[in-house]
Amino acid sequence: MKFFNDLADFSAAEIDELITLARRLDTNPEPRALEGKVLSLLFLSPSLRTLISFQSAMAKLGGSTFVISPEMSIHGLESRSGIVMDGVAAEHVREAVPVIASYGNAIGIRAFAKRESLDDDLADREFRELVSLVETPYINMESAINHPCQSLADWKTMDDLGIPGNGGKFVLSWTWHPRPMPFAVPAATVHMAAMRGMDVTVLRPEGFELPDVIMDKARQAAAMSGGSITETDDRNSAMQDCEVLYVNSWASPHHYGDRRAEEQIKPELHDWCVDEPWFENANCDSRFMHCLPVRRGVTVTDRILDSSRSVVIAEARNRMLVQMALLHQMLSGS
Ligand code: CP
């Protein structure tokens, strides 16, 4: 495996193979599989789970990691092209990124959406530019428009719970958040559930439709897997017989990059905070999923997060396990 950037680059059978390997490595540890191998971790955006789960995954396989982020005492980084660097930044990513990559056998890169240009973010322009600078295998640890490690973990979490792929009803719902949030998780999630063959409903208030490029990619995956995609702002109909409610917040594409304009349309949406009444028409054992971090009392109530519906901790642990599998495939024997 030369890169891990998008579940769409893999077949469902290959994903199944990764999940099977993740389970095997959990029950039958291989503490020397990646002995002597180094994973470079470049965090241009913050993290808790991604940072620690990759460090732990490499350690459990006998390899090691190093972490670089702007918060460390590194030189200020410039990423704009054609710039005269007479400001604060002392080093350009065009030198820094290949140098960082050259110290390891593979590199993981996290670079959140800049949320200035919708077109640039939907095209994943910054991440593509960064990975074009490296010659080692690379892993997308969340870019403007994708979070494949999260989606692989979420796929495994549903498999572990016995939630069916074909025929399972999956609701991806927008929820309240005080700030405009990126499309990475909702885009990766709607595609993952469609690829898994689920009947997917995107539930969102008017004005928060997912951009066409995201929905079209999910529809293509559904067409191949036998799943389906619908979109609605009607919570009652969306939640009917729902087996999984996956929540996230994302920016309004109509006001992308304009926080104040988005704030004008959000005041009436405070009730988009998940609580028990959301599940009235759902399956009785319907699950609540979220990639974390999550704001209690803002996105979801304590009583949902603390209930048996919530599988957020299992999702987070599965990050480590599926990443062990993909690192094993990427680096063992290479
Ligand atoms: N879910 C996830 O990627 O968490 P972090 O942002 O903490 O890494």
Side-chain angles (χ1 to χ4, degrees):
M1 190 193 298
K2 285 296 284 178
F3 56 84
F4 186 76
N5 182 47
D6 191 341
L7 287 198
D9 298 328
F10 298 82
S11 66
E14 287 168 330
I15 288 171
D16 198 43
E17 210 175 296
L18 275 168
I19 290 172
T20 302
L21 177 57
R23 290 198 178 115
R24 197 188 85 207
L25 292 170
D26 192 21
T27 50
N28 297 92
E30 292 188 23
R32 302 187 68 171
L34 298 187
E35 201 168 40
K37 298 289 165 65
V38 176
L39 176 67
S40 322
L41 295 169
L42 174 58
F43 280 90
L44 298 174
S45 309
S47 171
L48 185 151
R49 279 143 291 273
T50 305
L51 170 61
I52 301 166
S53 58
F54 268 109
Q55 290 182 310
S56 180
M58 275 303 276
K60 281 173 180 271
L61 293 169
S64 60
T65 57
F66 67 84
V67 180
I68 293 291
S69 78
E71 285 70 41
M72 302 164 83
S73 57
I74 61 169
H75 305 292
L77 288 179
E78 177 58 75
S79 60
R80 292 170 292 177
S81 297
I83 193 97
V84 176
M85 289 174 54
D86 58 358
V88 176
E91 180 151 24
H92 203 280
V93 293
R94 295 189 68 80
E95 287 76 51
V97 171
V99 166
I100 293 165
S102 75
Y103 296 142
N105 301 90
I107 184 167
I109 300 180
R110 167 168 280 202
F112 286 174
K114 285 202 157 92
R115 279 165 277 176
E116 291 163 2
S117 157
L118 182 58
D119 286 345
D120 281 357
D121 286 346
L122 291 177
D124 227 1
R125 212 170 301 283
E126 186 188 16
F127 187 79
R128 284 175 194 274
E129 284 172 11
L130 290 169
V131 297
S132 75
L133 300 170
V134 306
E135 290 179 356
T136 56
Y138 67 85
I139 298 167
N140 182 330
M141 301 198 300
E142 189 173 341
S143 63
I145 201 62
N146 220 326
H147 199 354
C149 298
Q150 185 64 50
S151 286
L152 185 58
D154 291 335
W155 188 314
K156 178 178 182 300
T157 304
M158 287 191 278
D159 281 4
D160 291 350
L161 292 164
I163 293 165
N166 287 73
K169 181 158 184 196
F170 185 98
V171 177
L172 169 67
S173 180
W174 183 90
T175 45
W176 168 262
H177 194 285
R179 293 190 295 127
M181 298 299 281
F183 290 117
V185 171
T189 302
V190 69
H191 174 265
M192 175 274 295
M195 193 178 166
R196 201 169 172 268
M198 304 186 83
D199 292 322
V200 182
T201 300
V202 178
L203 170 64
R204 82 288 176 278
E206 213 173 302
F208 288 86
E209 303 81 14
L210 287 173
D212 286 346
V213 65
I214 295 173
M215 293 299 284
D216 288 347
K217 182 179 167 187
R219 283 192 192 98
Q220 277 174 19
M224 287 182 64
S225 67
S228 65
I229 305 281
T230 53
E231 198 176 358
T232 182
D233 60 1
D234 181 346
R235 194 176 300 158
N236 286 334
S237 69
M239 289 299 294
Q240 188 77 44
D241 304 323
C242 160
E243 277 161 290
V244 175
L245 174 64
Y246 195 114
V247 309
N248 207 256
S249 190
W250 56 87
S252 166
H254 308 290
H255 303 289
Y256 203 73
D258 187 346
R259 183 172 175 174
R260 287 190 179 203
E262 181 172 309
E263 278 168 7
Q264 307 278 320
I265 62 168
K266 273 169 98 171
E268 290 152 27
L269 302 176
H270 274 285
D271 70 324
W272 286 74
C273 172
V274 178
D275 199 359
E276 198 53 42
W278 282 51
F279 292 91
E280 259 166 24
N281 299 320
N283 273 6
C284 57
D285 55 357
S286 178
R287 303 300 184 145
F288 172 85
M289 294 181 75
H290 192 288
C291 65
L292 304 178
V294 68
R295 290 181 183 237
R296 284 178 174 253
V298 172
T299 290
V300 56
T301 59
D302 287 351
R303 66 173 166 170
I304 294 296
L305 263 182
D306 298 333
S307 74
S308 56
R309 286 195 191 288
S310 174
V311 295
V312 297
I313 306 301
E315 290 176 80
R317 181 167 189 273
N318 276 324
R319 287 291 303 278
M320 178 186 70
L321 298 176
V322 298
Q323 288 160 199
M324 282 169 69
L326 77 90
L327 289 165
H328 195 284
Q329 279 205 357
M330 188 174 266
L331 292 175
S332 68
S334 66

